[in-house]
């Protein structure tokens, strides 16, 4: 199991270059961009991203997403729109009146709007879906709004984990601006610019980012389907320092290690169970290891050091559930990363277009989400006393699209990891590690074109991995 998880981490490092997910983090950059087009405004305390948004704040944002802020103010002043609520402030009244008059929102009672109450994720996502032209009760049911919104590319599960904050509101609003309207005529921000609700010049940096991003996502859609065959070449540099305490005695150690690897990865994730073939040659500290590994129908098959063996993956149902959740985040919702993009450029030469992306601080949350998903498959007793944290300091991608199809990708990452272990009885350890990695992937096939040829597994010796896990 542990050996397989090590391989799975390698797979994740490789596939992260193809499909990454949004995650709960700090979306300061998204808030800043939204403020430049008058969509998101702070208070005397700033953006206050770490608190829950109120129903009043959600109402104001919704009116802006409809492009009706000026219209609401004019109509309210003229007395052509109104609301029956007694707990709405004068500054918020035009927004609530416009929404109420147009049948978009209701109060909590006939006379109260409960302006200061928190607005939850489900309620706000329903607002966004309505702004995109979808109708609850017709296109989706209110109770299923979050799942429906995910299928439309508004967000991915981990983005809205825990309490819904203004931080999350900024992120999903930003993603919504780059999402297609229901009728497919354009994307939301494009429609706001076309109608004059958002100034075209002020929005130009965001519209350029969105349109370049959408073009890349379209070209990458086959790869994002979850079936991929790719050659990879990677280099990693590790700097590690460890402090350990046992029975009152403290020791320290440090190590530097360079690792290179190359090989082929094939994944078929469209079936009921994930299928995987991985061949790689890894070199580090003067030694080279050649390994082949397959995942097929819940069995792990391995060839390494002249031996061939297989074992049934323990807790297969739980593992597959966690693994599938990760795959779903990386494939179905791979497009929901717009709030994480700092810059994106495209340069075209002949039939090739090269996209270069740099990611903002929100990208770091994705790494921790992946780590959390992996640790969920380990037994609880193995995770007791273990604290893991990753800080992604730098991340960039270069994609090459040829004739509308993704052909290769290069990713560069610089991350710090801290791992603290408290084993009890005076035994503990602290590991600090810096890792820089460069990964290059060449796409051989995607979608239904991916075919895995398995060897004859009949001579693979079955081993009991539970006896070696301790």
């Amino acid at each position: 199991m542990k050996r397989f998880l090590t391989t799975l981490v390698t797979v994740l490092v490789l596939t992260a270059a193809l499909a990454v997910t949004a995650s709960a983090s700090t979306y300061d950059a998204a808030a800043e961009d939204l403020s430049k087009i008058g969509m998101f405004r702070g208070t005397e305390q700033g953006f206050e991203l770490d608190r829950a948004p109120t129903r009043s704040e959600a109402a104001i944002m919704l009116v802006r997403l409809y492009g009706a802020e000026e219209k609401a103010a004019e109509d309210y002043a003229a007395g052509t729109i109104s609301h029956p609520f007694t707990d709405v402030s004068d500054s918020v009244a035009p927004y609530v009146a416009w929404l109420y008059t147009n049948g978009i929102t209701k109060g909590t009672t006939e006379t109260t709007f409960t302006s200061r109450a928190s607005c939850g994720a489900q309620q706000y996502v329903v607002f966004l879906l309505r702004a995109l032209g979808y109708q609850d009760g017709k296109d989706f049911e209110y109770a299923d709004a979050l799942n429906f919104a995910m299928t439309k590319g508004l967000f991915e599960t981990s983005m809205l984990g825990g309490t819904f904050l203004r931080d999350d509101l900024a992120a999903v609003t930003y993603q919504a601006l780059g999402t297609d309207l229901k009728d497919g005529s354009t994307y939301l921000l494009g429609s706001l610019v076309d109608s004059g609700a958002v100034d075209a010049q002020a929005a130009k940096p965001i519209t350029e980012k969105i349109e370049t991003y959408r073009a890349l996502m379209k070209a990458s859609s086959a790869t994002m389907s979850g079936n991929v065959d790719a050659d990879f070449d990677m280099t990693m540099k590790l700097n590690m320092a460890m402090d350990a305490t046992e029975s009152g005695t403290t020791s320290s150690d440090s190590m530097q290690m360079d690792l290179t690897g190359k090989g082929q990865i094939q994944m078929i994730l469209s079936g009921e169970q994930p299928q995987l073939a991985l061949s790689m040659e890894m070199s580090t500290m003067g030694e080279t290891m050649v390994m082949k590994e397959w995942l097929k129908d819940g069995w792990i098959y391995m060839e390494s050091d002249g031996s061939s063996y297989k074992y049934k993956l323990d807790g297969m149902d739980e593992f597959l559930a966690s693994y599938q959740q990760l795959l779903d985040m990386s494939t179905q919702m791979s497009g929901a990363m717009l709030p994480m993009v700092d810059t994106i450029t495209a340069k075209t030469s002949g039939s090739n277009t090269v996209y270069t992306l740099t990611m903002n601080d929100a990208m770091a949350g994705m790494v921790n989400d992946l780590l959390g998903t992996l640790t969920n498959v380990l037994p609880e007793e193995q995770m007791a006393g273990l604290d893991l944290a990753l800080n992604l300091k730098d991340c960039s991608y270069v994609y090459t699209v040829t004739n509308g199809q993704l052909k290769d990708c290069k990713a560069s990452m610089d991350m710090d990891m801290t791992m603290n272990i408290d084993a009890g009885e005076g035994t503990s350890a602290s590991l600090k590690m810096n890792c820089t990695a460069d990964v290059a992937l060449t796409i051989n096939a995607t979608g239904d074109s991916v075919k895995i040829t398995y060897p004859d597994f009949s001579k693979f010796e079955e081993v009991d991995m539970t006896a070696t896990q301790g």
Side-chain angles (χ1 to χ4, degrees), residues 393-412:
K393 299 192 297 184
D394 182 61
C395 184
S396 60
Y397 297 87
V398 178
Y399 298 88
T400 300
V401 173
T402 303
N403 295 322
Q405 299 293 319
L406 182 64
K407 292 302 180 183
D408 63 61
C409 172
K410 297 179 181 179
S412 297

Side-chain angles (χ1 to χ4, degrees), residues 17-325:
L18 297 175
V20 296
T21 61
S23 56
S25 184
T26 299
Y27 293 96
D28 299 82
E32 288 283 356
D33 275 358
L34 292 174
S35 72
K36 293 174 182 176
I37 58 173
M39 192 70 66
F40 191 81
R41 296 168 191 167
T43 68
E44 296 81 1
Q45 287 74 43
F47 287 133
E48 296 188 272
L49 298 179
D50 57 351
R51 69 164 174 83
T54 65
R55 281 171 53 86
S56 287
E57 290 169 338
I60 292 170
M61 181 68 81
L62 182 56
V63 172
R64 291 172 181 161
L65 288 171
Y66 273 95
E69 187 168 24
E70 291 186 9
K71 176 68 172 173
E74 293 171 359
D75 289 354
Y76 187 74
T80 57
I81 59 173
S82 62
H83 66 80
F85 309 121
T86 59
D87 60 347
V88 175
S89 68
D90 291 342
S91 61
V92 180
Y95 301 94
V96 173
W98 189 89
L99 293 171
Y100 180 81
T101 301
N102 286 279
I104 298 170
T105 189
K106 300 177 182 179
T108 52
T109 71
E110 290 184 358
T111 58
T112 59
F113 187 73
T114 319
S115 298
R116 296 183 180 181
S118 298
C119 176
Q122 184 171 15
Q123 184 179 21
Y124 189 67
V125 164
V126 170
F127 286 167
L128 292 178
L129 289 171
R130 290 171 181 169
L132 291 169
Y134 297 99
Q135 299 178 41
D136 38 322
K138 182 178 180 181
D139 298 306
F140 67 95
E141 296 301 323
Y142 186 91
D144 196 46
L146 293 176
N147 290 329
F148 182 79
M150 282 195 294
T151 67
K152 300 305 175 184
L154 276 177
F155 66 94
E156 160 293 302
T157 306
S158 64
M159 183 187 287
L160 301 183
T163 302
F164 186 68
L165 305 176
R166 282 169 57 86
D167 185 54
D168 302 307
L169 181 146
V172 295
T173 300
Y174 199 94
Q175 184 67 31
L177 291 178
T179 302
D180 281 335
L181 300 179
K182 177 188 173 181
D183 63 13
S185 59
T186 185
Y187 58 93
L188 182 55
L189 182 56
S191 70
L192 294 173
V193 170
D194 291 343
S195 68
V198 172
D199 181 74
Q201 192 61 35
K204 186 177 180 180
I206 306 177
T207 55
E208 289 180 346
K209 178 190 292 187
I210 288 174
E211 290 173 7
T212 305
Y213 167 82
R214 283 163 58 88
L216 174 60
M217 290 300 103
K218 181 179 180 180
S220 304
S221 59
T223 305
M224 303 304 184
S225 69
N227 294 4
V228 64
D229 180 333
D231 296 325
F232 67 88
D233 197 330
M234 61 186 295
T235 60
M236 299 177 66
K237 293 183 179 292
L238 303 175
N239 292 294
M240 295 174 283
M242 175 178 283
D243 295 319
T245 301
E246 184 174 4
S247 302
T249 302
T250 300
S251 61
S252 299
D253 196 9
S254 61
M255 181 176 67
Q256 294 182 338
M257 181 172 66
D258 293 345
L259 181 148
T260 61
K262 61 181 179 179
Q264 181 182 21
I265 179 172
Q266 296 173 297
M267 297 188 298
I268 297 179
L269 310 178
S270 56
E272 292 184 1
Q273 293 188 349
Q275 307 293 298
L276 168 72
L278 176 67
S279 61
M280 59 182 175
E281 179 181 300
M282 309 291 286
S283 299
T284 182
M285 303 179 72
E287 296 185 0
T288 298
M289 176 186 72
V290 178
M291 186 184 77
K292 295 182 178 181
E293 185 163 343
W294 299 266
L295 168 62
K296 187 176 189 293
D297 300 329
W299 283 83
I300 306 299
Y301 302 88
M302 300 191 70
E303 283 186 350
S304 181
D305 301 325
S307 61
S308 302
Y309 59 93
K310 65 180 181 180
Y311 60 92
K312 188 73 174 178
L313 193 58
D314 288 335
M316 189 63 189
D317 290 342
E318 293 80 3
F319 172 79
L320 285 178
S322 297
Y323 188 54
Q324 193 60 51
Q325 181 183 14

Side-chain angles (χ1 to χ4, degrees), residues 384-459:
L386 180 63
D387 179 30
L388 292 167
L390 287 170
N391 174 34
L392 192 61
K393 299 192 297 184
D394 182 61
C395 184
S396 60
Y397 297 87
V398 178
Y399 298 88
T400 300
V401 173
T402 303
N403 295 322
Q405 299 293 319
L406 182 64
K407 292 302 180 183
D408 63 61
C409 172
K410 297 179 181 179
S412 297
M413 305 178 187
D414 184 354
M415 66 186 78
D416 290 329
M417 183 185 83
T418 301
M419 179 170 65
N420 296 310
I421 304 171
D422 185 355
E425 300 181 354
T427 300
S428 63
S430 177
L431 171 68
K432 294 182 178 180
M433 180 180 73
N434 172 257
C435 171
T436 58
D438 292 291
V439 181
L441 288 157
T442 301
I443 311 301
N444 302 316
T446 59
D448 294 337
S449 299
V450 179
K451 307 294 182 183
I452 297 179
T453 301
Y454 295 100
D456 181 3
F457 291 135
S458 62
K459 296 181 180 180

